[in-house]
Amino acid sequence: MFKTIKLNKLLLTILLPAVIAVGAGITSTFAAQETRPEKPQKNGVPVPIIMYHSITLDDDCLGEYVVSLDQIESDIEYLKEKDFTPVFVNDLINYVNYGGELPDKPIILTFDDGFYNNREYLYGLLKKEDYKATISAVGDYTINASESGEKQSALYSYLSWKDITEMRESGRYEFCNHSCSMHSLGERRGILKKEGESADDYRHALICDIDGLQKLFETNCGFRPNVFTYPYGFYCDEAEETMKALSFEATLGVEEKPNYIIKNDSECLYGLNRYNRSGLTDTISFFENMMKDFENS
């Protein structure tokens, strides 16, 4: 059983924005060391993907990786005015691999790490606005939330297996594998190879962790995600090949670049780029800066 880590809840509430910033923000420091080769420019469907993390109702808690529910509502209103249509990553997969179609201006809203506030605060807004969200859940966090026996709080808790099942059944959410125990920075940084680790040992570690979480999803929720989200955005070729071998049909990274989705080109679904939505900027500034990248690419 996963040992429950009991923290002073008031202290955790105060520190949560800083903890998220340390965890998520480390990407900007190290991810460039594991960059992907540039994809050739092709004519495809432009698809912006937004990356959110935790949600707050307190403007004093806003941070680089913490946004307010009001900001998300403002974002959705802006996107509606600009005629964007929300889709899942699986809609891209269906378009590329299985003959599906996409709306004229698709956009994806993703939320990393599986915070309980992605359900408690967000569901009502998604329902009201007829929007959808892609959640990347970390296995260890979900196990702890499911087994701790503690009452969940939108201030500091994570989603349980029961939450994931009910959210997915609502039709408003899809779920991605965000690793079981590799969302950490220690001897191994995210999913990267440890120093001195052999290729066989590295592949074994990846399979045990990531396919282990797949089995937990199947046992507890009745499905296996077909999208993998790289912790901290750390990436390497060996990991990507392992994801493909484990039947993941798409992967999500953190590089802030446009995506162009091309029918019958499954490679365009791997290493999808995402724009981090900081709580320290306003809706118009964020989206105008993002759309400049699409205009200039």
Short mmCIF file of all heavy atoms in Angstrom, two decimals, residues 186-220:
data_model
loop_
_atom_site.label_atom_id
_atom_site.label_comp_id
_atom_site.label_asym_id
_atom_site.label_seq_id
_atom_site.Cartn_x
_atom_site.Cartn_y
_atom_site.Cartn_z
N GLY A 186 15.00 13.60 -8.84
CA GLY A 186 15.97 13.01 -7.93
C GLY A 186 17.06 12.38 -8.74
O GLY A 186 17.63 12.98 -9.65
N GLU A 187 17.36 11.12 -8.40
CA GLU A 187 18.36 10.40 -9.18
C GLU A 187 17.92 10.29 -10.64
O GLU A 187 18.73 10.34 -11.56
CB GLU A 187 18.56 9.00 -8.58
CG GLU A 187 19.73 8.25 -9.18
CD GLU A 187 19.94 6.90 -8.52
OE1 GLU A 187 19.10 6.50 -7.70
OE2 GLU A 187 20.94 6.25 -8.85
N ARG A 188 16.61 10.15 -10.84
CA ARG A 188 16.04 10.19 -12.19
C ARG A 188 15.22 11.46 -12.33
O ARG A 188 14.36 11.74 -11.50
CB ARG A 188 15.16 8.96 -12.43
CG ARG A 188 14.63 8.87 -13.87
CD ARG A 188 13.59 7.78 -14.02
NE ARG A 188 14.03 6.48 -13.57
CZ ARG A 188 14.85 5.67 -14.24
NH1 ARG A 188 15.34 6.05 -15.40
NH2 ARG A 188 15.19 4.49 -13.74
N ARG A 189 15.45 12.21 -13.38
CA ARG A 189 14.67 13.44 -13.62
C ARG A 189 13.51 13.10 -14.54
O ARG A 189 13.70 12.87 -15.74
CB ARG A 189 15.53 14.53 -14.24
CG ARG A 189 16.60 15.06 -13.29
CD ARG A 189 17.31 16.27 -13.84
NE ARG A 189 18.08 15.96 -15.03
CZ ARG A 189 18.04 16.67 -16.16
NH1 ARG A 189 17.23 17.71 -16.25
NH2 ARG A 189 18.77 16.33 -17.18
N GLY A 190 12.30 13.04 -13.98
CA GLY A 190 11.16 12.63 -14.77
C GLY A 190 11.39 11.23 -15.31
O GLY A 190 11.76 10.32 -14.56
N ILE A 191 11.19 11.05 -16.62
CA ILE A 191 11.35 9.72 -17.21
C ILE A 191 12.75 9.51 -17.79
O ILE A 191 13.00 8.49 -18.44
CB ILE A 191 10.29 9.46 -18.32
CG1 ILE A 191 10.33 10.57 -19.39
CG2 ILE A 191 8.90 9.37 -17.71
CD1 ILE A 191 11.36 10.42 -20.45
N LEU A 192 13.66 10.44 -17.58
CA LEU A 192 14.98 10.33 -18.20
C LEU A 192 15.81 9.20 -17.59
O LEU A 192 15.59 8.77 -16.46
CB LEU A 192 15.73 11.65 -18.07
CG LEU A 192 15.13 12.85 -18.80
CD1 LEU A 192 16.01 14.07 -18.62
CD2 LEU A 192 14.93 12.55 -20.29
N LYS A 193 16.78 8.74 -18.34
CA LYS A 193 17.68 7.67 -17.90
C LYS A 193 18.56 8.17 -16.76
O LYS A 193 19.06 9.29 -16.79
CB LYS A 193 18.53 7.21 -19.08
CG LYS A 193 19.41 6.00 -18.79
CD LYS A 193 20.30 5.68 -19.98
CE LYS A 193 19.50 5.19 -21.18
NZ LYS A 193 20.40 4.74 -22.29
N LYS A 194 18.75 7.32 -15.75
CA LYS A 194 19.67 7.64 -14.67
C LYS A 194 21.11 7.50 -15.16
O LYS A 194 21.39 6.73 -16.08
CB LYS A 194 19.44 6.72 -13.48
CG LYS A 194 18.11 6.92 -12.79
CD LYS A 194 18.03 6.17 -11.47
CE LYS A 194 17.96 4.68 -11.68
NZ LYS A 194 17.70 3.97 -10.39
N GLU A 195 22.00 8.22 -14.53
CA GLU A 195 23.41 8.14 -14.91
C GLU A 195 23.91 6.71 -14.74
O GLU A 195 23.71 6.08 -13.68
CB GLU A 195 24.25 9.10 -14.06
CG GLU A 195 25.70 9.15 -14.48
CD GLU A 195 26.49 10.20 -13.70
OE1 GLU A 195 25.88 10.92 -12.89
OE2 GLU A 195 27.71 10.28 -13.91
N GLY A 196 24.53 6.18 -15.77
CA GLY A 196 25.08 4.83 -15.71
C GLY A 196 24.08 3.71 -15.91
O GLY A 196 24.45 2.54 -15.88
N GLU A 197 22.82 4.05 -16.14
CA GLU A 197 21.78 3.03 -16.32
C GLU A 197 21.88 2.40 -17.71
O GLU A 197 22.00 3.11 -18.70
CB GLU A 197 20.40 3.67 -16.12
CG GLU A 197 19.25 2.69 -16.06
CD GLU A 197 17.94 3.39 -15.70
OE1 GLU A 197 17.78 4.58 -16.05
OE2 GLU A 197 17.09 2.74 -15.06
N SER A 198 21.82 1.09 -17.77
CA SER A 198 21.90 0.42 -19.06
C SER A 198 20.60 0.61 -19.84
O SER A 198 19.55 0.92 -19.26
CB SER A 198 22.16 -1.07 -18.89
OG SER A 198 21.02 -1.73 -18.36
N ALA A 199 20.66 0.41 -21.14
CA ALA A 199 19.47 0.55 -21.98
C ALA A 199 18.38 -0.43 -21.55
O ALA A 199 17.20 -0.07 -21.50
CB ALA A 199 19.84 0.34 -23.45
N ASP A 200 18.77 -1.66 -21.24
CA ASP A 200 17.79 -2.67 -20.83
C ASP A 200 17.15 -2.31 -19.49
O ASP A 200 15.94 -2.45 -19.31
CB ASP A 200 18.44 -4.05 -20.75
CG ASP A 200 18.73 -4.64 -22.11
OD1 ASP A 200 18.17 -4.13 -23.12
OD2 ASP A 200 19.50 -5.61 -22.19
N ASP A 201 17.97 -1.88 -18.55
CA ASP A 201 17.43 -1.50 -17.24
C ASP A 201 16.52 -0.29 -17.35
O ASP A 201 15.49 -0.20 -16.67
CB ASP A 201 18.57 -1.20 -16.26
CG ASP A 201 19.29 -2.47 -15.78
OD1 ASP A 201 18.74 -3.57 -16.01
OD2 ASP A 201 20.38 -2.34 -15.19
N TYR A 202 16.90 0.65 -18.21
CA TYR A 202 16.07 1.85 -18.40
C TYR A 202 14.72 1.48 -18.99
O TYR A 202 13.67 1.92 -18.50
CB TYR A 202 16.81 2.82 -19.32
CG TYR A 202 16.01 4.07 -19.65
CD1 TYR A 202 15.45 4.86 -18.65
CD2 TYR A 202 15.84 4.47 -20.98
CE1 TYR A 202 14.73 6.01 -18.96
CE2 TYR A 202 15.13 5.61 -21.29
CZ TYR A 202 14.57 6.38 -20.28
OH TYR A 202 13.85 7.50 -20.59
N ARG A 203 14.72 0.67 -20.03
CA ARG A 203 13.46 0.25 -20.64
C ARG A 203 12.59 -0.52 -19.64
O ARG A 203 11.38 -0.30 -19.57
CB ARG A 203 13.76 -0.61 -21.87
CG ARG A 203 12.50 -1.09 -22.60
CD ARG A 203 12.87 -1.88 -23.84
NE ARG A 203 11.71 -2.54 -24.42
CZ ARG A 203 10.84 -1.96 -25.24
NH1 ARG A 203 11.02 -0.70 -25.57
NH2 ARG A 203 9.82 -2.63 -25.73
N HIS A 204 13.22 -1.36 -18.85
CA HIS A 204 12.47 -2.12 -17.84
C HIS A 204 11.83 -1.18 -16.83
O HIS A 204 10.66 -1.37 -16.44
CB HIS A 204 13.41 -3.10 -17.14
CG HIS A 204 12.75 -3.91 -16.06
ND1 HIS A 204 11.86 -4.93 -16.33
CD2 HIS A 204 12.84 -3.84 -14.70
CE1 HIS A 204 11.43 -5.46 -15.20
NE2 HIS A 204 12.02 -4.81 -14.19
N ALA A 205 12.58 -0.15 -16.39
CA ALA A 205 12.04 0.80 -15.42
C ALA A 205 10.85 1.57 -16.00
O ALA A 205 9.83 1.77 -15.31
CB ALA A 205 13.13 1.78 -14.99
N LEU A 206 10.97 1.99 -17.26
CA LEU A 206 9.87 2.70 -17.90
C LEU A 206 8.63 1.83 -17.99
O LEU A 206 7.51 2.26 -17.65
CB LEU A 206 10.28 3.15 -19.31
CG LEU A 206 11.23 4.34 -19.45
CD1 LEU A 206 11.55 4.56 -20.92
CD2 LEU A 206 10.64 5.60 -18.83
N ILE A 207 8.81 0.60 -18.44
CA ILE A 207 7.66 -0.29 -18.62
C ILE A 207 7.00 -0.60 -17.28
O ILE A 207 5.77 -0.57 -17.16
CB ILE A 207 8.09 -1.58 -19.34
CG1 ILE A 207 8.48 -1.26 -20.80
CG2 ILE A 207 6.98 -2.63 -19.31
CD1 ILE A 207 9.09 -2.43 -21.54
N CYS A 208 7.80 -0.89 -16.26
CA CYS A 208 7.24 -1.20 -14.95
C CYS A 208 6.40 -0.04 -14.42
O CYS A 208 5.31 -0.24 -13.88
CB CYS A 208 8.35 -1.55 -13.96
SG CYS A 208 9.07 -3.18 -14.21
N ASP A 209 6.92 1.17 -14.57
CA ASP A 209 6.21 2.34 -14.04
C ASP A 209 4.99 2.69 -14.88
O ASP A 209 3.86 2.79 -14.36
CB ASP A 209 7.15 3.54 -13.99
CG ASP A 209 6.51 4.75 -13.36
OD1 ASP A 209 5.76 5.47 -14.07
OD2 ASP A 209 6.74 5.00 -12.16
N ILE A 210 5.18 2.86 -16.16
CA ILE A 210 4.12 3.42 -17.01
C ILE A 210 3.06 2.37 -17.33
O ILE A 210 1.86 2.64 -17.25
CB ILE A 210 4.74 4.04 -18.26
CG1 ILE A 210 5.59 5.25 -17.83
CG2 ILE A 210 3.67 4.48 -19.25
CD1 ILE A 210 6.61 5.69 -18.83
N ASP A 211 3.48 1.16 -17.68
CA ASP A 211 2.48 0.12 -17.92
C ASP A 211 1.84 -0.31 -16.60
O ASP A 211 0.68 -0.73 -16.59
CB ASP A 211 3.12 -1.08 -18.62
CG ASP A 211 2.07 -2.01 -19.20
OD1 ASP A 211 1.16 -1.50 -19.92
OD2 ASP A 211 2.13 -3.23 -18.95
N GLY A 212 2.59 -0.18 -15.50
CA GLY A 212 1.98 -0.44 -14.20
C GLY A 212 0.81 0.48 -13.93
O GLY A 212 -0.23 0.06 -13.41
N LEU A 213 0.97 1.76 -14.29
CA LEU A 213 -0.14 2.70 -14.12
C LEU A 213 -1.27 2.38 -15.08
O LEU A 213 -2.45 2.51 -14.73
CB LEU A 213 0.34 4.13 -14.32
CG LEU A 213 -0.72 5.23 -14.18
CD1 LEU A 213 -1.47 5.12 -12.86
CD2 LEU A 213 -0.09 6.62 -14.33
N GLN A 214 -0.94 1.94 -16.29
CA GLN A 214 -1.98 1.53 -17.23
C GLN A 214 -2.85 0.43 -16.62
O GLN A 214 -4.09 0.46 -16.75
CB GLN A 214 -1.34 1.02 -18.53
CG GLN A 214 -0.68 2.09 -19.38
CD GLN A 214 -1.65 3.08 -19.98
OE1 GLN A 214 -2.06 4.04 -19.34
NE2 GLN A 214 -2.06 2.83 -21.22
N LYS A 215 -2.23 -0.52 -15.97
CA LYS A 215 -2.97 -1.62 -15.35
C LYS A 215 -3.83 -1.12 -14.20
O LYS A 215 -4.95 -1.61 -13.99
CB LYS A 215 -2.00 -2.70 -14.89
CG LYS A 215 -1.32 -3.43 -16.04
CD LYS A 215 -0.21 -4.36 -15.57
CE LYS A 215 0.48 -5.03 -16.75
NZ LYS A 215 1.65 -5.84 -16.33
N LEU A 216 -3.33 -0.14 -13.46
CA LEU A 216 -4.12 0.44 -12.38
C LEU A 216 -5.34 1.18 -12.93
O LEU A 216 -6.44 1.11 -12.35
CB LEU A 216 -3.27 1.37 -11.53
CG LEU A 216 -2.23 0.71 -10.63
CD1 LEU A 216 -1.32 1.75 -10.00
CD2 LEU A 216 -2.91 -0.12 -9.54
N PHE A 217 -5.15 1.93 -14.01
CA PHE A 217 -6.29 2.58 -14.66
C PHE A 217 -7.33 1.52 -15.06
O PHE A 217 -8.53 1.70 -14.82
CB PHE A 217 -5.83 3.33 -15.92
CG PHE A 217 -5.47 4.77 -15.71
CD1 PHE A 217 -4.16 5.20 -15.82
CD2 PHE A 217 -6.45 5.71 -15.42
CE1 PHE A 217 -3.82 6.53 -15.65
CE2 PHE A 217 -6.14 7.05 -15.25
CZ PHE A 217 -4.81 7.47 -15.35
N GLU A 218 -6.88 0.45 -15.67
CA GLU A 218 -7.80 -0.58 -16.14
C GLU A 218 -8.53 -1.26 -15.00
O GLU A 218 -9.74 -1.47 -15.04
CB GLU A 218 -7.03 -1.61 -16.97
CG GLU A 218 -7.93 -2.61 -17.68
CD GLU A 218 -7.17 -3.42 -18.71
OE1 GLU A 218 -5.96 -3.67 -18.51
OE2 GLU A 218 -7.78 -3.79 -19.72
N THR A 219 -7.80 -1.57 -13.93
CA THR A 219 -8.40 -2.25 -12.78
C THR A 219 -9.39 -1.37 -12.05
O THR A 219 -10.48 -1.82 -11.67
CB THR A 219 -7.29 -2.69 -11.80
OG1 THR A 219 -6.43 -3.62 -12.46
CG2 THR A 219 -7.89 -3.33 -10.55
N ASN A 220 -9.03 -0.11 -11.87
CA ASN A 220 -9.86 0.78 -11.04
C ASN A 220 -10.88 1.60 -11.82
O ASN A 220 -11.88 2.03 -11.23
CB ASN A 220 -8.94 1.73 -10.26
CG ASN A 220 -8.11 1.03 -9.22
OD1 ASN A 220 -8.60 0.67 -8.15
ND2 ASN A 220 -6.84 0.81 -9.52
#
